Structures are given as C-alpha cells and as structure tokens.
Amino acid sequence: MREVAVIGIGMTEFGELWNRSFRDLVAEAGMQAILDAGIEGDEIDAMFIGGMSSGRFIGQEHVGSLAVEVAGLEDLHIPSIRVEAACASGGVAMHQGFLAVASGMYDVVVVGGAEKMTDVVGAEATNILASAADREWESFFGVTFPGLYALMARYHMQKYGTTQEQLASVAVKNHYNGSLNPKAQFKRRISVEDVLRSPMVAEPLHLLDCSPITDGAAAAVIVPLEKAKEYTDKVVKIMASAVATDTLSLHGRKSFDSIPAAYHAAQRAYKMAGVEAKDIDVAEVHDCFTIAEIMAIEDLGFVERGKGGKATEEGLTSLEGEIPVNTSGGLKSKGHPVGATGVAQINEIVMQLRGEAGERQVKDARIGLTHNVGGSGGTAVVHILGVI
Amino acid sequence: MGVARYWREIPVRYNLIGNRCSVCGKIYFPPRAICPTCRRKSIGKMEEYKLSGKGTVESFTIIHVPPPEFEGKAPYAVALIKMEEGWYLTGEIVDCPLDEIHIGMKVEACLRRIQEDGKKGAIYYGYKFRNAGD
Amino acid sequence: MAAIVGYGAYVPRYRIKAEEIARMWGKEASSIKSGLNIFEKSVPSMDEDTATISVEAARRAIKASKINPKEIGAIYVGSESHPYAVKPTATIVAEAIEATPELTAADYEFACKAGTAGMQNCIALVETGMIKYGMAIGADVSQAAPGDALEYAASAGGAAFIIGKEGIAKINATVSFTTDTPDFWRREGEPYPGHGERFTGEPAYFRHVMGAAKMLMERMGTSPSDYDYAVFHQPNGKFPLRVAKKLGFEKEKVEAGLLCPIIGNTYSGSTMLGLAAVLDVAKPGERIFAVSYGSGAGSDAFDITVMDSINAYPRQEIRKMLEEKVYVDYATYMKFRREFK
C-alpha cells in the first residue's frame, strides 16, 4: 500500500445559495481544488463524489457521470463514482479515494462532496434527512433526526450530569470560530442565553443546538506521497483513513450515550497513523447537534467518557484550548451540506496544517483529525492528516 | 409509504411479532434475518416471537418540530423503550401528560393511528406506548 | 340459542364538559345538562379512531375470556365512523387479534345499532354451527356539527362481545323491529349528520324501542318484573329513563347500564357499553333486558340470563376505568377530532 497525500483543496461558501445549482457547486469546488493542486484536467485518473440524496433533493441520481460532464472530462472516460453514507458520504468518499491511490491503481484522484438542500422546502428537507435514520422503525413513528440526538442527549445528561448550558457552549464556541471563517453560513456570534432562548426543536435540543440546512460543495486532490512534491511544497500526508459502522437504528446499538462506530474508527485511525489522541493538534468533528460534539470528543479520546460537556464549557476545545475542535465553525456555524461536510472537514484541516487558516489558525498545528458521522451513528469515518 | 410496504409489516406493527434466535435464545424486534451474535449458525433458526408489549422508558424527547406527516400533532413524546424481553425499540408515548414522562416509567403497547397518506391515501396503524403505571 | 362468552370495553380518557361546549356557543349550561342529563362526554385522542377503539375492546375481550383468537369464525364491526368508507375495519381488528386468515368479516352500518346487528348475525352463525366463536363490536368516534345540539352527546367508545355456544351469559332470544324512518342520517361525503329534531323522539326512538321491547316480552311471555336490569340505547341521559318508565321498568333497573351522563352517546357503542357495564355487576341467575336503537330505523332486543361462570370472569370494571379521565378545552377537543381542515 502506497502512502497518500493531499495536494489541493477547494470549497464553495456554505449557505442558502439560491443562485447556484448543484452543478454550479460541484464545478466551483472542483475547479478550486484543481487550481490549488496545480494539476491539469487530463491528469485526473478517477473521481469519487460523496452525496447523500441528490435524488430526492433535486431529482438527480447518477452523480458520478454528472460530475464528469460538469468538469468537462468526458473525453477522458475516467471512473467517477458516487459514494453514499448519509451525512458521512463525504468522509467515506475520501476513504474510497484514499484506497484508490494507496492501492496503486490510480495516481491522481479528485474527491468531492456536494449537497443542494434548499431547492426543496424545509419540511421536505427534514423528511429526506430522516432517511439517514431507520425509516421503518424510527422515522415512521415521527422521531425526527434531531429527536434521535435528543434521545442521546437526555441519556447523556441523565448518566453524566451534562447540562443544557454545556450543550450550548458547543454552539457558542463554534459560532465564534465561524465568525472568523469567510465561507461559513453563520458568521454571527451567539451566547449561551441565545441558545437556551431559541425555540425548542426536540427536548433538550433548541434550534441553536442544531446544524442548519445548507448548500455547498468541497473537493480535494490526492496523489501518492512519493509524487506529491512534484506538485506542491505544501504536502499534507493522509496518515490514516478509517471507516466503521454500527446498526442503522439507535435502538439497536449497544450504547445510547456515545457513537461506538466513531470510537472504533478513531482507534483504527490512531493505530494506522501511529499516534494517540493527545498527539492531535486540531480536529474537525461532526457537530450536527451540540450533543454530537460532546460525544465526539469523548469517542475520540480527547476527554474522559462523560466529561465532554464540562470540558467544552471550560474551554478545552476552544481556539486557545488544549485541543481546538471545529476551528472552521463546525457543522453548526459553517453549515452542513450533508454530502460535502466530510470533504469540507478535510479542507479545514489541510488549511490548518499548511498555516493558511488566517484568524482561526492553531499555532504549530502538525497533526489534524477529521471525524464524520452518518445518521445517528450508523457510519463513522476518521482521517488523520499530518505535515511532513 | 406505499401500501405494500406497510402491509408486509402488519404482524410486526400491530402485534409486535419479533423473532428469537433458537441457538442463543436472544429476542429481537423488529425481526432480524440473522442473529448478530450467532450469525451463520442462526440461518434458518430464527423463530417468530411475540413481544408482551411491556417495557420501560430508557430515554425520551418531546418533539416540537415535527416531520410533515405529523404536522399539527406536536408537541409529542418519543422514547427509547427497553422491552421486557431485553431488546429496545423506538415509539411514541401517549395518554400521559408530557411533563410526567420520566426515565424508568413503565409502559405498554397499544394500537394507534401513526400516519396517513394524505386525505385520499391509506391509513397506517402501528404501536404506540401508554403509561402502564409504576 | 347462543351465549356471551366474553366482553371487552374501551372509552378514550379525554373528556369535555357540557359547560365548556355551552360556553363556546353562548348557551346556558345548566338547562342543557338537566334537559339532556349529560354532564360530560368522551373525546378521542388525535391518533384514535373507530379501528383503534375496536382493537382495544376486542383485545380486552380476548384477554378476559382466554379464548384462542384463531377459533373466531366471524368478526363484525358496526359503526357510523369507520375510518374508511370502503375498506373494512373488521379486518384491521382481525389482524390485530391474530384471528386471520380463517374467518369471515364485514363492517356493519345501521346508525347506533350497527353493533347489535352484528351480534345477531354472530348468534345465528353460532347456532347453525357455522362458527365456534363470533365477535361483534360496536364502536364510534361519532360526529356532530359544531354548535348543533348533538354536540353535547356525540362521543367516542366501543365494546366487543364474543358469542359462542356457552358462556357467562345465555342469550335466550333476540328480536328486531325495523321500518324505514328517516329521523337521523349522514349523506355520503358529508362530515356531519342531519336529523329531524323532535321527529327523532316519538316516531323514531320510542316507537322502535318500545316496538322491539313489546315484541320480545310477548315472545318470551315475560313482563318487566321478570328482569333485574334494563339497558336501552342512550342518545342522551333522559330517553332511556323515559322509555323504561313507559314500558314499566323501575328506574333502578336502568341505572347500572346508564353511562351516557358521564361519557355521552357512543353511538354504535352505546347499548353494548351499557350491557357491558351491567355484566360488570350482574350475578348468576339475574336476567337482563337490552334494546338498542339505530336511526333509519330499527331496534334489536335481547333477553339474557347470567350464568354461574360469570363469577370466574375478569370483569372489565368499566365504571372504574371511566374514573381515569383528563379534561380538555374546546380548542383541544376540535384539534383532537381533527376538525381543523
């Protein structure tokens, strides 16, 4: 297995992008990444595109082929493959791309993720997102996606004493970070009171505990490490790429206050990279809801099980903290175009490791981690990247 | 939801028919094709098993922003329920003031309307849970 | 003849007071209450309907009588508020009690006597040996136009009766008095019924109830003194008392089965719930006189003798069940009844 590196990244702004279609988003992110990588179109050997549900959001399947047409690469007749794992589609697409290069079969691979969520009305978007959960035995009964995380939140609060204020502190931190990110959907800073006063969505989660509906796309170009220097000085190595799964339904799991798939993906990633949790300098985690970030930092081993709420409240994961988490603003503030998120996380970590994160820059960031989860925890992907 | 998809699961939705692995004895709901513990050994050895309908609330939430099929019904409570037989499922809690629902509460299944396919489509019934008294 | 093998009853827990309805329409509550002898009525939850109520009553009957549901050869559900105009409620019940697939089933409609009509059919099927057990259910989530006088009465509830060769109560005889009398009706596609106001009294309710009652006593050679209980259809809390008096039944005999004052008129469930309430307290050897009434119009009368085996039967304790209630206001009542289109 060859080693793999990221040589280019690209990302649209995230938000309600009325004037841009799914195709526009794919084109923009892809072009940015290719220019950043300094490669020619005809060097691309394969593409992997992550997307949760373009079929239901815009009535379009067969996205692999669509991406080729959008990119004008049809005469190359390259493999272009759509990858789906609900909200982890982007991260899993990255994993597939990594495998493609590591295997030796392809040299230059473009990984992308895109979702256009605002072409349908809110209620329809909610319905589509519910297909990330168990349609027959969860969504059918009206539990909703926020409802599933709310069930985990209450369980976590009952078991460990996590408070609503601690949940809110995740959103406050991420909004602060997002205010420094020109591409974030929400650049407004908020307070704990703002979160607690926002309307209830599914108790105990308020509106501001939940990530939004967003349009956006992100892309990355990856090549074998041995060839990376031919393209750029700013080589970022993918030290680990790990995917783990669990039951689709929350009620089928062995744990209601953690995401075992994330824990296992992280363990595999740490082993593959030869590092431990304490070696991570910066991380992008899947904060689809505030409770998700609290469980994430516990699953990733940044903090002891049950202590995630308190740790966040005390600033462990702030920009100045011991382990800055979601410097981009996270899904909460940056936005969550479902299929794009996993690749957008890679974007942020690569920027951090290259020293290009501007006001959000974490000092001396050398090893970074991304954590992308599908549904209520049915799939989890962890990548570890590092500068060499 | 199409009628065929609903009809196929009627025994499960109306009567809580799960299944049991005859190799290890574990009970599952909804019924599973294969026992996750015994895996290959359980092929062909899963037998129908009807749950008693009794369980306790393991966690719950009150939904304020419902999906379109449940428009007008919020707020309502949904819970993770541990059934007597040891397995968990997800369901709505009814006939109980929302502020009295608590973790550890004993509940029992009852048949209620879950959804409809608009005004002209089929009506989908299924299990919900009411307070069984502590 | 045949016998009642078991019975089950279910009334939704929500109630709305007559005062609350009167308040809405600017009416004076006390005269309405004394005029109708109805204090409050039952209201179904948003996720309840005739099918869910029928299933609940049926499951309770099965649980109490301990019969094997696969031995039920017929299920009939009588109602004016079936969830579908076409697609039977009876099959939903059949699946929910695991009686399928070897049985016959159908839905009945005959205003408030649809359930007892089903009972008569079960009796005939059992007597002829065509089936071992039959189940007849009368259940409704009755409709009434907002602001109409019927609004104080139209309520929700149901009862299921299992009929077999032998049981806790022997059905000695049943007769019916039927004519075409358009006192109360609901047109296809219309949400609310219409009625002939005072015409629903003498020429309708009283004529048919008394007609069937007299027919039965003549057939059996009995008089009111031969019976310990009298159950009549309860469109309000007054008519049953008045018809009892006219027929010569003492008021005390009617009281055990009179549920209307506290739950309203459960339409197809009315007489059957009243009969169930009587079976809750009846002793072996006691005799019951029951007459239903369905607008359109007709009455089914039953002569029933309670058997020794009733002592071993787990009574439904309906009156105790009815004490568990939650009051709602008018707006919630409308929301529950899905009146907001």
Side-chain angles (χ1 to χ4, degrees):
Chain A
M1 285 254 293
R2 301 190 293 186
E3 300 197 289
V4 183
V6 179
I7 57 165
I9 50 171
M11 188 173 139
T12 64
E13 62 168 307
F14 279 9
E16 288 177 319
L17 310 175
W18 304 109
N19 294 325
R20 269 172 283 174
S21 68
F22 180 83
R23 297 168 198 219
D24 293 333
L25 297 172
V26 169
E28 190 182 322
M31 290 190 298
Q32 260 188 51
I34 289 174
L35 290 172
D36 185 53
I39 60 167
E40 300 291 327
D42 54 13
E43 291 181 71
I44 301 175
D45 293 319
M47 296 208 294
F48 291 88
I49 317 283
M52 173 171 160
S53 196
S54 50
R56 292 188 64 182
F57 281 119
I58 57 166
Q60 179 69 62
E61 302 287 18
H62 209 173
V63 170
S65 170
L66 175 64
V68 162
E69 186 165 342
V70 163
L73 297 172
E74 60 264 28
D75 292 333
L76 301 179
H77 304 292
I78 52 167
S80 177
I81 296 161
R82 171 170 137 238
V83 178
E84 186 276 321
C87 331
S89 296
V92 176
M94 195 70 212
H95 180 71
Q96 298 301 93
F98 172 85
L99 288 177
V101 175
S103 69
M105 186 135 171
Y106 301 114
D107 281 350
V108 180
V109 168
V110 174
V111 174
E115 212 81 50
K116 176 75 189 165
M117 300 174 76
T118 58
D119 278 352
V120 295
V121 293
E124 183 58 23
T126 306
N127 196 357
I128 297 169
L129 288 173
S131 54
D134 185 331
R135 175 67 72 181
E136 306 292 341
W137 308 106
E138 290 178 323
S139 308
F140 176 73
F141 297 112
V143 65
T144 77
F145 209 58
L148 289 173
Y149 275 90
L151 287 170
M152 290 194 269
R154 189 181 295 276
Y155 197 86
H156 202 276
M157 288 162 80
Q158 170 91 347
K159 194 167 172 188
Y160 303 115
T162 306
T163 64
Q164 288 203 25
E165 286 78 7
Q166 287 167 353
L167 293 177
S169 67
V170 172
V172 171
K173 166 182 74 75
N174 290 348
H175 268 257
Y176 176 81
N177 295 349
S179 73
L180 307 172
N181 183 350
K183 291 190 177 172
Q185 180 169 3
F186 298 125
K187 301 185 190 55
R188 179 175 76 97
R189 294 178 191 181
I190 58 176
S191 66
V192 169
E193 287 74 46
D194 287 334
V195 180
L196 298 180
R197 266 188 282 132
S198 63
M200 234 358 148
V201 172
E203 294 182 21
L205 300 177
H206 298 83
L207 183 64
L208 290 179
D209 282 300
C210 310
S211 58
I213 304 267
T214 318
D215 300 325
V221 181
I222 58 178
V223 298
L225 181 62
E226 67 217 17
K227 293 210 172 120
K229 279 267 185 246
E230 293 169 30
Y231 297 96
T232 175
D233 292 321
K234 304 179 282 185
V235 175
V236 175
K237 176 179 162 185
I238 300 179
M239 296 165 69
S241 178
V243 176
T245 53
D246 201 332
T247 57
L248 173 62
S249 65
L250 175 60
H251 57 246
R253 307 243 175 91
K254 302 285 186 306
S255 165
F256 301 136
D257 56 16
S258 72
I259 293 184
Y263 169 81
H264 286 283
Q267 292 298 302
R268 278 179 212 159
Y270 289 139
K271 188 156 174 230
M272 193 171 162
V275 303
E276 290 172 4
K278 62 178 172 52
D279 299 319
I280 307 296
D281 298 318
V282 60
E284 284 284 294
V285 310
H286 198 85
D287 60 322
C288 46
F289 301 93
T290 49
I291 180 63
E293 181 168 321
I294 289 176
M295 292 192 295
I297 60 178
E298 294 175 5
D299 289 328
L300 293 168
F302 294 160
V303 78
E304 214 182 289
R305 182 69 64 201
K307 303 256 169 70
K310 192 148 182 294
T312 308
E313 199 174 43
E314 290 173 352
L316 178 85
T317 52
S318 69
L319 273 181
E320 303 83 26
E322 230 177 275
I323 167 67
V325 170
N326 282 337
T327 55
S328 64
L331 278 57
K332 175 69 199 73
S333 157
K334 164 168 53 87
H336 183 35
V338 184
T341 285
V343 187
Q345 291 175 328
I346 298 283
N347 262 253
E348 178 70 8
I349 295 301
V350 168
M351 284 177 71
Q352 286 286 354
L353 297 180
R354 286 178 182 175
E356 291 171 1
E359 290 182 276
R360 322 187 296 280
Q361 185 64 50
V362 170
K363 244 166 78 82
D364 300 323
R366 301 197 58 79
I367 302 181
L369 177 149
T370 65
H371 155 283
N372 187 209
V373 175
S376 63
T379 303
V381 198
V382 171
H383 284 90
I384 298 179
L385 298 92
V387 280
I388 42 159
Chain B
M1 177 183 277
V3 287
R5 233 173 88 202
Y6 164 74
W7 157 82
R8 197 173 291 124
E9 310 297 336
I10 281 180
V12 189
R13 294 199 186 288
Y14 287 10
N15 297 319
L16 271 73
I17 310 283
N19 61 3
R20 187 181 158 275
C21 171
S22 55
V23 177
C24 70
K26 281 220 193 79
I27 292 163
Y28 298 104
F29 183 85
R32 294 182 78 151
I34 192 169
C35 169
T37 308
C38 306
R39 282 187 280 220
R40 182 177 312 219
K41 289 188 254 156
S42 69
I43 296 180
K45 299 251 169 59
M46 304 296 286
E47 358 172 273
E48 248 183 40
Y49 188 94
K50 181 176 167 149
L51 268 60
S52 69
K54 300 199 172 64
T56 43
V57 171
E58 193 79 4
S59 182
F60 68 97
T61 179
I62 314 288
I63 306 289
H64 289 263
V65 179
E69 312 82 54
F70 291 78
E71 209 54 67
K73 305 210 168 90
Y76 55 90
V78 183
L80 259 177
I81 300 170
K82 182 171 184 180
M83 303 308 284
E84 257 186 355
E85 295 80 0
W87 197 249
Y88 296 81
L89 50 69
T90 306
E92 188 181 331
I93 299 201
V94 293
D95 283 357
C96 182
L98 296 179
D99 54 12
E100 286 177 25
I101 300 176
H102 55 276
I103 292 179
M105 188 172 128
K106 289 200 177 25
V107 293
E108 62 184 14
C110 58
L111 186 86
R112 293 292 174 96
R113 271 169 100 108
I114 309 286
Q115 287 190 26
E116 338 180 332
D117 231 335
K119 292 200 76 65
K120 299 192 180 173
I123 303 170
Y124 303 126
Y125 296 91
Y127 50 81
K128 291 196 185 184
F129 294 85
R130 55 176 175 219
N131 197 343
D134 288 312
Chain C
M1 265 265 139
I4 295 170
V5 173
Y7 68 100
Y10 176 77
V11 175
R13 70 211 306 261
Y14 300 98
R15 305 279 185 274
I16 185 170
K17 292 194 176 153
E19 280 95 343
E20 178 62 9
I21 300 173
R23 177 185 75 85
M24 188 82 253
W25 303 109
K27 296 273 195 285
E28 216 272 287
S30 55
S31 55
I32 290 173
K33 279 157 65 174
S34 57
L36 294 174
N37 192 18
I38 299 176
F39 299 98
E40 55 196 44
K41 68 170 190 176
S42 57
V43 180
S45 189
M46 260 173 106
D47 57 1
E48 294 186 286
D49 63 16
T50 294
T52 65
I53 291 172
S54 298
V55 166
E56 199 56 50
R59 283 178 172 173
R60 289 177 187 195
I62 301 264
K63 189 170 174 200
S65 63
K66 300 191 186 47
I67 64 157
N68 179 355
K70 293 262 183 253
E71 295 189 314
I72 295 178
I75 297 180
Y76 299 108
V77 178
S79 179
E80 301 179 35
S81 55
H82 289 291
Y84 292 90
V86 177
K87 196 219 144 329
T89 309
T91 53
I92 298 173
V93 174
E95 285 286 0
I97 59 172
E98 296 180 87
T100 57
E102 285 179 37
L103 80 158
T104 178
D107 282 358
Y108 269 69
E109 187 282 305
F110 196 140
C112 303
K113 86 161 188 80
T116 53
M119 271 175 79
Q120 291 180 321
N121 204 343
C122 285
I123 290 167
L125 292 176
V126 165
E127 280 194 353
T128 55
M130 232 176 106
I131 62 176
K132 183 172 181 189
Y133 296 118
M135 178 181 272
I137 300 172
D140 252 303
V141 287
S142 9
Q143 315 92 332
D148 185 288
L150 288 174
E151 204 179 9
Y152 295 92
S155 64
F161 280 78
I162 300 175
I163 311 289
K165 273 239 143 20
E166 284 162 3
I168 58 175
K170 189 156 69 90
I171 301 169
N172 303 315
T174 178
V175 302
S176 295
F177 186 99
T178 310
T179 70
D180 187 21
T181 304
D183 58 314
F184 168 106
W185 61 87
R186 184 165 64 83
R187 291 289 297 279
E188 181 68 58
E190 284 298 300
Y192 304 117
H195 56 92
E197 294 191 14
R198 289 192 60 78
F199 181 71
T200 62
E202 284 298 329
Y205 179 90
F206 291 97
R207 180 175 175 219
H208 294 77
V209 171
M210 291 181 64
K214 287 180 181 155
M215 254 172 85
L216 183 59
M217 286 192 276
E218 209 179 289
R219 164 90 61 92
M220 300 302 286
T222 53
S223 70
S225 55
D226 290 308
Y227 301 94
D228 302 286
Y229 301 96
V231 182
F232 299 105
H233 172 55
Q234 305 161 39
N236 53 58
K238 280 284 177 71
F239 276 18
L241 294 169
R242 200 183 303 163
V243 81
K245 191 164 176 198
K246 283 186 183 216
L247 287 167
F249 287 93
E250 290 112 353
K251 187 172 180 222
E252 292 71 36
K253 294 185 176 174
V254 183
E255 273 162 6
L258 192 65
L259 295 175
C260 188
I262 56 174
I263 60 171
N265 176 7
T266 53
Y267 284 31
S268 300
S270 182
T271 309
M272 289 168 81
L273 273 169
L275 178 57
V278 166
L279 288 172
D280 268 352
V281 299
K283 300 200 240 331
E286 292 190 310
R287 205 160 171 184
I288 308 169
F289 191 83
V291 186
S292 65
Y293 173 71
S295 289
S299 277
D300 303 327
F302 300 83
D303 181 324
I304 297 167
T305 300
V306 180
M307 311 301 285
D308 287 343
S309 53
I310 202 170
N311 284 336
Y313 187 83
R315 320 280 182 120
Q316 290 288 288
E317 294 187 315
I318 293 165
R319 287 194 184 267
K320 188 157 165 241
M321 206 194 287
L322 293 177
E323 280 166 23
E324 265 208 48
K325 52 189 178 175
V326 173
Y327 290 108
V328 299
D329 60 22
Y330 197 86
T332 308
Y333 157 73
M334 291 291 266
K335 183 178 164 185
F336 276 8
R337 301 215 32 158
R338 289 178 253 124
E339 303 283 0
F340 296 126
K341 299 280 177 272

